[in-house]
Amino acid sequence: MAVWAATDTGEASYNCFVNESHLQYLASPEWAHTLETDLLPWVESAGPLGDHVLEIGPGPGLTTDLLRHRVSRVTAVEIDLSLGRALQTRLADTNVEVVVGDATKVGLPADHFSAAACFSVLHHMASADEQDRLFVELHRVLRPGAIFVGQESLDLDMIRAGHADDTFTAVDPEELSVRLAAVGFGPLATDILGYHFRFVTRKAG
Ligand SMILES: C[S@@+](CC[C@H](N)C(=O)[O-])C[C@H]1O[C@@H](n2cnc3c(N)ncnc32)[C@H](O)[C@@H]1O
C-alpha cells in the first residue's frame, strides 16, 4: 500500500503502512464473520452509538458495514488515498460519507458526532504523539456525553510478527487511560482478550 496519500484538499500527507496480506485479510469474508460474531456484540454492549458515528480508519470498510446498518449516518475518515477512494465508490448513495484525509487534522465540525469508533487503527499510526493528536481531535468533534469505542492489538511477539514491513506503534491499555484523561475523556473501561483489547470512554456530558 502506498506510503503517501493526498487529502481532498490536495495536501500530501504521510501515510501509515498496512502490508498486503494484512489488507487482504481485512477485506475477507472471514474478517467480516469475526466482526459480526465477536466485535459487534461488544460494540452493542459498550453504549449507545446514537445517530451519527465517526469511524476512523475504515480500511476496506468491513467495520464501516458493521456500523452503517445500525445507525442513521456514518462519516468514515481514511488516510490512504486508494482505500478511501475505493470505499467512496462502494458506499456511494448509502448513509456513509467517506472523507479521504488524516483524521488528526481533517477539520470536522466541533461537538458534532454521537460516537467515535476506531478499530485496529491506533497501532498503524506513526507515533504516540500522532495517536494523542487523534484523541484531542476526537474529543473536539464528539458531542458532550458521546462514547469513543475502539479495538487495539496488544504488544505481543506474534502480533509484531504479523506487522512485518508494516507500522506497529503499540498502545498500552493502562497508559491509554491516562492519555485519554489528559485530553478530557472520562474513565476508560477495557477488556483484554488474548491478543487484543477493547476500550470505551466518554466525553464528559
Ligand atoms: C488495520 S486497518 C483497519 C481497518 C478496519 N478498521 C478494520 O478493522 O477492518 C487501519 C486503517 O487505519 C487507517 N489510518 C491510519 N492512520 C490514519 C489516520 N491518521 N487517519 C485516517 N485513517 C488512518 C489506515 O490507512 C488503515 O486503512
Side-chain angles (χ1 to χ4, degrees):
M1 205 32 52
V3 177
W4 290 87
T7 66
D8 279 340
T9 60
E11 177 193 9
S13 63
Y14 184 71
N15 190 6
C16 74
F17 198 84
V18 183
N19 70 39
E20 279 304 322
S21 64
H22 196 160
L23 266 181
Q24 279 173 18
Y25 182 66
L26 293 174
S28 70
E30 293 77 17
W31 184 233
H33 179 73
T34 302
L35 292 173
E36 284 282 341
T37 57
D38 188 27
L39 182 64
L40 179 61
W42 177 83
V43 170
E44 290 182 325
S45 71
L49 294 172
D51 60 337
H52 191 175
V53 174
L54 173 63
E55 184 189 13
I56 308 305
L62 297 190
T63 44
T64 318
D65 291 335
L66 203 70
L67 295 168
R68 74 188 174 99
H69 295 302
R70 282 153 188 98
V71 299
S72 303
R73 291 181 67 190
V74 176
T75 296
V77 182
E78 172 54 57
I79 198 171
D80 184 283
L81 184 62
S82 58
L83 288 172
R85 291 284 186 245
L87 199 58
Q88 280 174 333
T89 301
R90 181 166 76 79
L91 297 182
D93 303 320
T94 70
N95 60 343
V96 179
E97 181 187 4
V98 180
V99 177
V100 181
D102 180 348
T104 65
K105 55 183 177 188
V106 83
L108 293 166
D111 300 325
H112 190 71
F113 296 95
S114 57
C118 181
F119 304 122
S120 305
V121 174
L122 299 176
H123 64 272
H124 283 286
M125 301 182 77
S127 66
D129 283 350
E130 197 176 318
Q131 294 164 348
D132 286 341
R133 283 196 290 278
L134 177 64
F135 302 151
V136 169
E137 188 61 2
L138 291 181
H139 189 268
R140 187 184 71 77
V141 300
L142 284 173
R143 297 175 199 160
I147 60 170
F148 169 32
V149 295
Q151 171 165 280
E152 259 312 305
S153 299
L154 289 167
D155 191 0
L156 304 174
D157 289 346
M158 139 189 140
I159 297 291
R160 283 192 176 269
H163 288 77
D165 302 325
D166 204 331
T167 302
F168 189 77
T169 305
V171 176
D172 179 276
E174 286 184 23
E175 287 174 12
L176 182 61
S177 162
V178 176
R179 292 166 66 190
L180 288 170
V183 303
F185 281 104
L188 184 76
T190 53
D191 288 327
I192 297 182
L193 306 149
Y195 66 92
H196 63 188
F197 71 98
R198 289 161 183 173
F199 61 86
V200 56
T201 185
R202 188 179 292 276
K203 177 171 171 174

